[in-house]
Amino acid sequence: MDSTERPRGPRLEWTVVPSDIGPLLLAATPEGLVRVEFHAGPDRADGMADALISRLGADAWRPAPGEEVLLAEPIRQLTAYFAGTLRRFELPLDWRLSSGFNRQVLLELDRSVPYGSVVGYGQLAARAGQPGAAQAVGNAMGSNPLPLVVACHRVVENDGGIGGFGGGVETKRILLALEGVLPQPLF
């Protein structure tokens, strides 16, 4: 539903915002930010939103730019993050799109890997109480419904390689450079 009319039932507010790494789809419920998706260009955003609406079974509302209610603070904080003035997101999060081990690992990542630092997949597995589960940690990062806010770009290969990223490896490089972990590109 891409309506300017507010829904009557359980609410999901969504929008697409520009960023330094391309358009991002943001979605929130009254419980908190529920989804961040990369590459939300005009050809993909409606499909992304429809899939999320279907999964959550929520009535959705896409406010006009600047009229966001549930997304006003996430938008403000993302803007500050990309401006280099925000180092930790302080937002209510709706975790219903993550469960079990994946949620456990994401919560540990959010708790123990601050801005400007990285952790190896195996190290994060050990911190989450599952030594030897590096591959499962990689799967958890790939299923992260809240990238950027729960900073899966900070998880790298144990041997120092950059590893994969749902937003693309170049996006991961940009984010790690923004946080000072990697040098800024020359051009």
Side-chain angles (χ1 to χ4, degrees):
M1 174 170 147
D2 185 18
S3 172
T4 56
E5 226 177 275
R6 288 181 183 258
R8 292 185 204 94
R11 189 163 43 139
L12 176 78
E13 183 178 294
W14 71 278
T15 195
V16 175
V17 295
S19 79
D20 292 1
I21 55 172
L24 300 171
L25 180 133
L26 305 178
T29 68
E31 288 78 35
L33 187 66
V34 71
R35 190 75 176 113
V36 175
E37 288 202 46
F38 299 105
H39 313 298
D43 56 326
R44 297 187 66 214
D46 287 336
M48 291 173 166
D50 289 345
L52 183 60
I53 292 162
S54 175
R55 183 158 179 205
L56 294 177
D59 290 323
W61 178 53
R62 184 178 188 183
E67 294 183 20
E68 297 85 2
V69 175
L70 301 174
L71 290 169
E73 187 60 15
I75 291 168
R76 187 194 72 71
Q77 289 191 30
L78 278 166
T79 300
Y81 171 79
F82 284 112
T85 60
L86 182 92
R87 292 182 171 243
R88 175 147 180 84
F89 290 95
E90 297 290 340
L91 296 168
L93 302 176
D94 181 338
W95 283 99
R96 77 178 86 181
L97 296 177
S98 184
S99 62
F101 179 74
N102 289 358
R103 184 186 296 184
Q104 177 185 349
V105 168
L106 292 169
L107 288 168
E108 180 61 30
L109 169 66
D110 191 49
R111 184 191 70 72
S112 70
V113 185
Y115 182 99
S117 64
V118 294
V119 65
Y121 292 97
Q123 294 168 312
L124 186 56
R127 288 182 188 180
Q130 297 291 326
Q135 187 172 0
V137 166
N139 292 336
M141 296 304 103
S143 71
N144 181 1
L146 298 163
L148 293 177
V149 175
V150 179
C152 54
H153 60 275
R154 296 179 188 148
V155 183
V156 297
E157 294 175 352
N158 290 335
D159 65 3
I162 195 164
F165 188 62
V169 173
E170 187 55 32
T171 297
K172 188 172 188 174
R173 287 183 205 284
I174 291 167
L175 295 172
L176 291 173
L178 173 70
E179 293 189 13
V181 174
L182 294 176
Q184 292 286 343
L186 296 176
F187 44 89

